[in-house]
Amino acid sequence: MGYSLSIISIIFIILASYYHPYIGDDYVHLYEVSIHSNFTEYYKYNYNNHNGRLIQVFLEYIIYKNEIIRFIFKIIVTPSFIFCSWLCWYLSTNKFIKYNDRNFWKFIIFTICVWLSLPTISETIIWTAGSTTYFWSFFVCIIYLTFSKYILDNKNINHSKKIHINLLNIVLSFLVGSSQEQLGFTIIILLIYFYYLNYQNINKNNKIFLLISILSSFVGFIIMALAPGNFERFNSYVDFNFLQNYRTFVLYFFSALFKLADEDKGSLLWMSIFIIIYLINPKFE
């Protein structure tokens, strides 16, 4: 019964995404894509006027260039979120969970908690323009982390002799580094921290793999960060104060537990954190 309700809910969410009307930036992207004859021109325009986020700009171009592709992305965004959650489960537990697994119900609850704790789902996932900015970049990052973890954990792979693995690592690392400011910076810090933490214990092949990851993601991040469009966008902000915004975020995050912030999202966020910790704890089988 529980699985049936989950499937019905997924179908309704897919329908909501499919029938979501064009609003705001949708029309902006439709117009800007229409006035550029190819992706190179569109990327140059965005790089100089908006941002250097490679994944976002590429998806904007292919999605708003073709109506059929646009509707395909509307349909697959929800299943892609579930797939992303499935990969997150692997990153948390070192196990690719299957439908016939006795703990599959935990994965269902895990996915629901992640979904409910996300802020403004209608903007970050359901809305096409919002999903190109937030969700799909995050999706690629999760695939990259899964790929890296699988390779690093598999001691039977000789990375230095696997040219295709290193090439894929270079491409994915570069894409992740240039995906979004917050994500790119976070990935680089995680890679450096992991390399430093395990420097004495990891073998030569894994060190090479991690160094390639760090270098490629750093190059992607620098190219994105130096985009003139970033400075144009930054100058358009009124009274932007990084420290004030950071202070507001910290106060919101830690006061949410006591319902001093947004009651719905704040309480759901902390509730989801506690539930997820319980679900992935190997002691609670």
Side-chain angles (χ1 to χ4, degrees):
M1 181 62 179
Y3 290 169
S4 300
L5 289 175
S6 299
I7 293 172
I8 293 172
S9 299
I10 292 170
I11 293 173
F12 275 110
I13 295 171
I14 292 174
L15 290 174
S17 178
Y18 181 81
Y19 288 107
H20 192 284
Y22 296 151
I23 56 174
D25 288 348
D26 287 322
Y27 291 106
V28 175
H29 297 326
L30 281 168
Y31 171 73
E32 291 181 345
V33 167
S34 68
I35 62 175
H36 294 93
S37 58
N38 55 61
F39 171 70
T40 303
E41 290 185 5
Y42 182 68
Y43 181 73
K44 287 181 180 179
Y45 170 78
N46 275 274
Y47 193 81
N48 290 311
N49 296 278
H50 296 304
N51 61 72
R53 301 169 184 169
L54 183 57
I55 296 175
Q56 176 184 338
V57 176
F58 174 73
L59 288 176
E60 285 174 1
Y61 185 79
I62 64 171
I63 288 174
Y64 291 99
K65 192 74 172 179
N66 188 297
E67 188 172 4
I68 295 177
I69 294 178
R70 190 154 61 249
F71 285 128
I72 290 174
F73 269 86
K74 281 175 170 284
I75 293 172
I76 68 172
V77 66
T78 302
S80 296
F81 170 82
I82 297 172
F83 178 70
C84 188
S85 179
W86 183 66
L87 295 181
C88 287
W89 181 271
Y90 164 71
L91 292 172
S92 302
T93 65
N94 291 320
K95 181 180 181 181
F96 288 112
I97 197 163
K98 299 177 181 179
Y99 177 78
N100 58 356
D101 196 304
R102 68 187 183 90
N103 286 325
F104 189 76
W105 65 271
K106 289 186 177 182
F107 169 70
I108 298 293
I109 297 176
F110 173 84
T111 304
I112 293 173
C113 288
V114 173
W115 177 269
L116 292 177
S117 61
L118 289 175
T120 58
I121 296 172
S122 59
E123 295 181 17
T124 56
I125 296 180
I126 303 299
W127 181 30
T128 303
S131 66
T132 59
T133 303
Y134 302 105
F135 172 72
W136 290 112
S137 295
F138 177 73
F139 179 77
V140 174
C141 286
I142 293 299
I143 289 179
Y144 168 72
L145 289 175
T146 304
F147 163 75
S148 299
K149 179 176 174 57
Y150 181 78
I151 296 299
L152 292 172
D153 288 347
N154 194 329
K155 295 181 173 58
N156 297 322
I157 298 177
N158 189 329
H159 310 307
S160 60
K161 296 182 179 179
K162 299 290 185 179
I163 298 177
H164 60 284
I165 291 179
N166 287 323
L167 287 176
L168 182 59
N169 184 26
I170 292 172
V171 173
L172 285 177
S173 299
F174 180 84
L175 286 176
V176 168
S178 61
S179 62
Q180 201 182 62
E181 292 80 1
Q182 301 93 322
L183 288 176
F185 180 77
T186 302
I187 291 295
I188 293 172
I189 295 300
L190 285 175
L191 290 172
I192 294 174
Y193 177 74
F194 184 81
Y195 182 84
Y196 172 77
L197 196 65
N198 299 276
Y199 180 79
Q200 300 295 336
N201 300 322
I202 57 179
N203 58 43
K204 181 180 178 181
N205 291 326
N206 282 350
K207 286 182 180 179
I208 293 174
F209 182 88
L210 283 171
L211 288 173
I212 291 174
S213 300
I214 294 170
L215 180 61
S216 298
S217 57
F218 182 74
V219 170
F221 180 79
I222 292 299
I223 292 175
M224 174 193 62
L226 293 179
N230 290 328
F231 303 99
E232 292 289 332
R233 184 160 45 89
F234 187 80
N235 290 332
S236 67
Y237 295 150
V238 179
D239 297 328
F240 179 82
N241 188 317
F242 174 78
L243 292 177
Q244 179 63 32
N245 286 356
Y246 181 75
R247 177 176 174 272
T248 302
F249 166 76
V250 171
L251 288 174
Y252 168 81
F253 183 79
F254 288 103
S255 63
L257 177 62
F258 308 101
K259 295 189 175 182
L260 299 179
D262 186 307
E263 282 204 24
D264 293 333
K265 285 300 176 185
S267 300
L268 282 172
L269 173 63
W270 279 99
M271 180 188 72
S272 298
I273 291 173
F274 290 137
I275 292 176
I276 288 172
I277 291 174
Y278 169 80
L279 290 174
I280 65 176
N281 191 328
K283 294 181 180 179
F284 300 104
E285 289 291 340

